[in-house]
Amino acid sequence: MRFTSAHRLAATTAVATAALVAVASPAFAHVTVQPGQAAQGGYTAVAFRVPDESDTASTVKLEVSLPMDHPMASVRTQPLPGWTATLEKSKLDKPLKSHGQDITEAVSKITWTAEPGTKVAPGQFQEFRVSLGAMPADTEKLTFKALQTYDDGNVVRWIDEAKEGQAEPAHPAPTLTLTKADAAGDHHAAGGASQDQAAAASGKSGGSDNAARTLGVVGIVVGVIGAALGVAGLRRKSSAN
């Protein structure tokens, strides 16, 4: 009886773990922007997280298009060893006001190209960090369409926009959710921070996001195992009686 209960416990745990991995994996496999939200009206630092999904090819280039319907006056890339970042600007139909000046053009595209000997190999991921601002105050989200190029010539187009009420597309575009800044002063702390402050916070945000996600998954697995142990104990007790 103990042998059967142990096997049932192992099977339950294995199924639960596999289900959790299946749920978590697709989200991680996408190209995403981290953290997933920022405050309207301020500056923020984000990282475009790029996993290599191929079993045989490595990622050697990332192209990210910035939304020109909501252009930003300031865009700065953080240096990344082994990668060259190129910023492409476009003329604006309507100038932006920034610190009392008219901005007539804005960054519309960022391209990171791997230098010889550098790549994102299968089973790895890389984060490409950018400081952005000021965030628009008239929209609740920004969509960044991205192209991921592999060294075998394959290009994955992360450009599909998710629609409410429909299943997530196969290659969703990275999306940044914008939230209202608090009037009591949190606007300056979260959304209205300077670019230097935003860049410094970026390094912490990626780690916190990973840690929270990992702890959440571990907690669920532990809960499932605990429940399985409880059921097995009750069955042993019933058999003994």
Side-chain angles (χ1 to χ4, degrees), residues 125-143:
F125 76 95
Q126 182 59 268
E127 291 187 338
F128 301 85
R129 300 184 182 277
V130 186
S131 175
L132 303 170
M135 295 289 106
D138 59 348
T139 184
E140 296 181 347
K141 70 174 183 177
L142 293 176
T143 300

Side-chain angles (χ1 to χ4, degrees), residues 42-46 66 72 74-75 130-135 144 176 195:
Y43 290 87
T44 190
V46 300
L66 278 63
M72 285 162 282
S74 181
V75 177
V130 186
S131 175
L132 303 170
M135 295 289 106
F144 302 88
L176 180 66
Q195 286 181 301

Side-chain angles (χ1 to χ4, degrees), residues 139-152:
T139 184
E140 296 181 347
K141 70 174 183 177
L142 293 176
T143 300
F144 302 88
K145 295 185 178 182
L147 302 183
Q148 180 182 9
T149 301
Y150 289 85
D151 57 8
D152 63 357

Side-chain angles (χ1 to χ4, degrees), residues 13-14 20 24 35 42 55 64 90 112 128 136 145 157 190 220:
T13 303
L20 287 170
D55 294 328
V64 175
S90 297
W112 285 271
F128 301 85
K145 295 185 178 182
R157 300 169 60 83
I220 296 173

Side-chain angles (χ1 to χ4, degrees), residues 138-227:
D138 59 348
T139 184
E140 296 181 347
K141 70 174 183 177
L142 293 176
T143 300
F144 302 88
K145 295 185 178 182
L147 302 183
Q148 180 182 9
T149 301
Y150 289 85
D151 57 8
D152 63 357
N154 185 37
V155 178
V156 180
R157 300 169 60 83
W158 301 96
I159 63 173
D160 299 331
E161 296 190 40
K163 296 182 179 180
E164 188 174 353
Q166 296 185 12
E168 184 182 58
H171 297 97
T175 301
L176 180 66
T177 300
L178 300 182
T179 60
K180 298 287 186 182
D182 292 341
D186 288 344
H187 170 77
H188 178 76
S194 68
Q195 286 181 301
D196 292 338
Q197 291 172 321
S202 176
K204 299 178 182 179
S205 65
S208 299
D209 180 71
N210 286 337
R213 185 176 300 174
T214 301
L215 289 174
V217 172
V218 171
I220 296 173
V221 172
V222 171
V224 171
I225 293 175

